Amino acid sequence: MPSEILPDVFRWSEYSPAHKVELASHAVWNGRRLLVFDPIAFPRDLELPGGHGDLILLTNENHVRAASTWSADRHLPVWCAPEASVELPGVRRWGPEEDPTPDWIRIPLPGGPGGETAFFDPTRSLMVFGDAVVNLAGCGLEILPDKYCTDPVRLRKSLRKLPPFVHAVFAHGDPLIGG
């Protein structure tokens, strides 16, 4: 069941037996557009402001998940980092010429999975993480285990460059709200 975890910030999740971990998706409404991050299956009872989204953002190459279904069913563009090995029809790559999130700060996190990117919304002090940082039940907040990184040392150095934030949501695990 989807929940509004902050004003206009929505989360839904499901357990993946194949991955043996909870998969979470988030949608953020900024008053003009609805950004959908790493979408899993669309819950039937999901009601979001602005409809079912304006664009899909993948935080890394491992988070294609249900993006192709969302894109096809709702005619949404899918965006990812130039470095991500994502093979979807019509996938777009952000960069200096094309910025799908001008109100957000995209933070590349090399060393994680291909194209790993965190997104920071300075107006909410909200950080959206893909795999670089997880907050799994029973484990708590932790950096992605080394065996899933392309370069664990580089990922840790990348994470040191994050700006301060108050709230964080994760593709795997519970959100951290406040403090």
Side-chain angles (χ1 to χ4, degrees):
M1 171 115 179
S3 59
E4 188 171 13
I5 57 175
L6 286 168
D8 295 328
V9 178
F10 303 87
R11 177 184 190 276
W12 60 102
S13 65
E14 66 183 14
Y15 181 77
S16 170
H19 299 96
K20 297 182 177 132
V21 72
E22 176 190 29
L23 308 179
S25 295
H26 299 88
V28 180
W29 172 249
N30 71 1
R32 297 181 321 276
R33 297 188 317 163
L34 184 67
L35 309 179
V36 179
F37 294 89
D38 299 332
I40 56 175
F42 191 82
R44 294 192 188 281
D45 58 347
L46 182 60
E47 293 183 29
L48 300 169
H52 294 156
D54 291 298
L55 57 98
I56 296 167
L57 298 163
L58 303 181
T59 58
N60 68 57
E61 66 189 22
N62 296 332
H63 287 187
V64 173
R65 299 172 170 182
S68 61
T69 303
W70 276 68
S71 178
D73 290 353
R74 294 162 187 87
H75 309 290
L76 304 179
V78 177
W79 289 83
C80 67
E83 307 81 22
S85 294
V86 173
E87 300 299 326
L88 287 176
V91 69
R92 298 178 74 176
R93 313 283 175 166
W94 54 68
E97 260 83 283
E98 288 199 276
D99 184 356
T101 57
D103 300 338
W104 291 65
I105 299 168
R106 283 189 322 274
I107 305 164
L109 297 172
E116 182 75 24
T117 305
F119 290 82
F120 180 60
D121 176 359
T123 61
R124 289 184 176 87
S125 193
L126 171 67
M127 189 70 70
V128 177
F129 285 104
D131 285 337
V133 180
V134 297
N135 190 29
L136 300 174
C139 297
L141 189 64
E142 62 184 5
I143 296 172
L144 184 67
D146 289 357
K147 67 182 180 178
Y148 301 112
C149 296
T150 57
D151 185 338
V153 172
R154 190 168 183 206
L155 177 60
R156 283 167 178 71
K157 288 179 183 175
S158 302
L159 289 167
R160 290 186 191 118
K161 298 176 184 174
L162 293 173
F165 54 89
V166 176
H167 313 291
V169 296
F170 308 91
H172 306 288
D174 295 329
L176 293 176
I177 306 300

